[in-house]
Amino acid sequence: MLNQFDPEIADALNREVKRQQEGLEMIPSENFVSEAVLEALGSIATNKYSEGYPGKRYYGGCHEIDVLETLAIDRAKELFGAEHVNVQPLSGAPANLAAYVALLEPGDTVLGMDLSHGGHLTHGHPVTHPAQVWNFVRYKTTPEGFIDYTDIEAKAREHKPKLILVGYSAYSREIDYERIKKIADEVGALTMADMAHIAGLIAAGEMNNPVPIFDVVTTTTHKTLRGPRGGMILCKKKFKKAIDRAVFPGLQGGPHENNIAAKAVAFKEALQPEFKDYAKQIKKNAKVLEEEFRKREYRLLFGGTDNHLLLVDVTPKGIGGQQAETALDKAGITVNKNAIPDDERSYVDPSGIRFGTPAITTRGMKEDEMRRIADWMDRAMMNWGDDEALEKIREEVKTLTAQFPLYPGLIY
Ligand SMILES: *Cc1c(COP(=O)(O)O)cnc(C)c1O
């Protein structure tokens, strides 16, 4: 159907299928959803308007939509031990915005992590709109690379924030939520964790869970959690009304119920015992990459990894982040350039690259493959100007990925 009516789109999709199949996807925020998730995402639930929440809709005909949204909510509650869940946020950024709207008055102060130390744009970076509405104060990591809890404590006492925010997109270490909660209680601040990157590891019990400790937790559903592209907010009962109101009617209109159906399917998958094995393997694979890069004398930020990702300073090896990203791309390995803490280079060509293991672990790759991948990555970066050498690596990468089929037979 699609290829007959719109061959331009079908062709682009087919080339993208090939790219995903042949390459090594190492962007730590990406993953491959199951065919069941894809089916729900492409379902007729996309046809339905359902403003409101299960049992309290502003449209007729929502009976089955209520069934699937309730399943999504109940499964998310079970996965994370949450008192209340809102599955309607369209993505991670809108989920964070809704949490700010629910918890803060304009002008309130929020304490969040500096972007170059692993924080996210949506945590008050000056280029974002929320930075104009609320007063974001930033804490950093220590020179050894850990979250600077002493800095958080000092800044909390000095600035008396209404909200303390943790959760990062380039930080590779565990987070001590109890310790943050104690600081917040001392200064009368609310607590919010953004677990976008690590939600899957938390669901599997492989990383500390902020949900029972913090007031509000936001997440994406498409990173380690391996669901459809989307967002979600988990909170204590006390904040249920404020959170639900901030999402709808505060910021959004009709929820995307096809997406919510796909979230429900992904949560069911994450509740299976195999998902625990998956999360364990993500971490094991990241540890192997850590060892291999350390051996080759790259500088690992934050001293290594406790989760699925690594932030690596490539400048000691005589190249920049952009050169590294481009070389790896030519070799069939997708990563992203990334600033390192207090980076002196520009965001357009920073000192580091960020990469991780969720997607390649979904494909079934284990320790042996990681050692080969680290070797290819090193070779590609050390030969960044040599297109022939990069093409040779690309061919080797293709031979490996062919042994780990992805969506076999898929053609649009
Ligand atoms: C990815 C991410 C987001 C934003 O998610 P989008 O779905 O891209 O809007 C927010 N916070 C953190 C920590 C993230 O890693």
Side-chain angles (χ1 to χ4, degrees):
M1 277 163 281
L2 178 64
N3 62 9
Q4 277 167 22
F5 175 70
D6 197 339
E8 287 162 288
I9 290 292
D11 289 351
L13 284 172
N14 285 330
R15 287 191 299 271
E16 176 62 11
V17 169
K18 190 164 142 53
R19 188 193 69 83
Q20 292 188 14
Q21 280 171 346
E22 289 184 350
L24 282 168
E25 185 50 74
M26 298 190 64
I27 293 176
S29 48
E30 294 192 15
N31 214 329
F32 300 114
V33 299
S34 70
E35 278 155 352
V37 168
L38 273 186
E39 203 176 323
L41 200 53
S43 71
I44 45 75
T46 193
N47 297 334
K48 190 72 198 95
Y49 247 112
S50 56
E51 281 176 0
Y53 291 100
K56 292 172 296 228
R57 303 285 190 182
Y58 294 88
Y59 285 80
C62 286
H63 180 72
E64 299 308 330
I65 294 299
D66 280 4
V67 171
L68 63 86
E69 187 166 337
T70 304
L71 277 167
I73 293 168
D74 289 346
R75 289 170 184 172
K77 279 186 182 170
E78 187 184 343
L79 260 185
F80 295 99
E83 292 180 11
H84 176 67
V85 177
N86 187 311
V87 293
Q88 293 189 1
L90 300 175
S91 214
N96 284 345
L97 186 56
Y100 300 149
V101 166
L103 302 177
L104 304 170
E105 297 298 327
D108 278 349
T109 296
V110 182
L111 192 53
M113 173 85 96
D114 192 277
L115 179 72
S116 76
H117 288 243
H120 192 262
L121 270 178
T122 58
H123 298 180
H125 191 277
V127 301
T128 63
H129 186 71
Q132 295 172 33
V133 181
W134 298 288
N135 172 37
F136 286 87
V137 177
R138 268 163 276 277
Y139 58 89
K140 295 191 170 190
T141 52
T142 63
E144 295 75 39
F146 292 95
I147 296 172
D148 194 341
Y149 295 96
T150 321
D151 187 31
I152 298 180
E153 195 164 17
K155 291 205 164 108
R157 285 184 183 146
E158 183 189 343
H159 297 281
K160 297 267 180 292
K162 177 87 180 287
L163 179 68
I164 298 182
L165 179 54
V166 306
Y168 319 106
S169 49
Y171 185 66
S172 51
R173 289 297 187 184
E174 187 54 280
I175 301 165
D176 188 346
Y177 300 102
E178 299 275 7
R179 186 152 175 201
I180 304 271
K181 173 74 175 139
K182 231 166 119 188
I183 297 170
D185 284 346
E186 192 199 314
V187 299
L190 297 171
T191 45
M192 170 174 160
D194 175 353
M195 60 175 180
H197 261 260
I198 52 175
L201 299 174
I202 292 170
E206 288 296 312
M207 288 196 82
N208 294 340
N209 183 2
V211 175
I213 304 164
F214 272 32
D215 295 313
V216 174
V217 177
T218 57
T219 186
T220 57
T221 48
H222 50 272
K223 299 182 183 174
T224 50
L225 196 48
R226 208 164 60 181
R229 191 158 292 281
M232 169 162 79
I233 305 176
L234 310 93
C235 66
K236 298 283 183 209
K237 265 214 178 73
K238 199 168 126 188
F239 299 100
K240 171 180 191 309
K241 249 199 182 145
I243 289 291
D244 284 354
R245 245 191 233 148
V247 174
F248 172 83
L251 292 162
Q252 294 186 181
H256 295 189
E257 295 292 349
N258 57 318
N259 189 282
I260 290 172
K263 285 174 185 171
V265 175
F267 300 158
K268 183 169 181 177
E269 289 173 358
L271 284 163
Q272 308 305 310
E274 301 83 61
F275 194 82
K276 287 199 169 38
D277 302 334
Y278 167 60
K280 277 201 173 74
Q281 192 65 47
I282 287 178
K283 284 173 63 179
K284 272 191 212 161
N285 285 350
K287 271 287 170 206
V288 175
L289 292 178
E290 173 188 325
E291 283 160 30
E292 295 295 316
F293 275 84
R294 184 171 290 128
K295 254 196 264 173
R296 290 172 175 81
E297 296 180 340
Y298 287 83
R299 191 164 81 90
L300 306 179
L301 277 301
F302 315 122
T305 182
D306 297 324
N307 58 21
H308 62 300
L309 71 81
L310 284 157
L311 182 61
V312 173
D313 179 0
V314 295
T315 58
K317 303 288 280 187
I319 60 169
Q322 180 63 63
Q323 281 166 328
E325 183 191 292
T326 307
L328 289 163
D329 226 359
K330 286 183 181 167
I333 301 170
T334 317
V335 307
N336 64 289
K337 61 184 174 188
N338 211 101
I340 61 170
D342 298 321
D343 207 327
E344 281 169 6
R345 297 168 65 109
S346 76
Y347 274 101
V348 194
D349 184 16
S351 301
I353 55 169
R354 183 189 71 148
F355 53 92
T357 55
I360 52 178
T361 306
T362 292
R363 294 191 75 163
M365 295 181 191
K366 297 206 163 84
E367 289 87 332
D368 282 346
E369 286 78 34
M370 295 308 122
R371 285 186 269 272
R372 295 181 67 189
I373 289 168
D375 193 53
W376 284 326
M377 289 177 75
D378 180 43
R379 261 170 59 201
M381 288 189 277
M382 292 304 90
N383 292 284
W384 65 271
D386 181 348
D387 280 358
E388 217 169 284
L390 298 174
E391 183 54 36
K392 188 158 175 295
I393 298 171
R394 191 188 189 85
E395 288 308 317
E396 292 174 43
V397 165
K398 255 198 230 172
T399 314
L400 178 77
T401 52
Q403 295 163 33
F404 296 88
L406 184 65
Y407 309 122
L410 179 62
I411 181 157
Y412 291 99

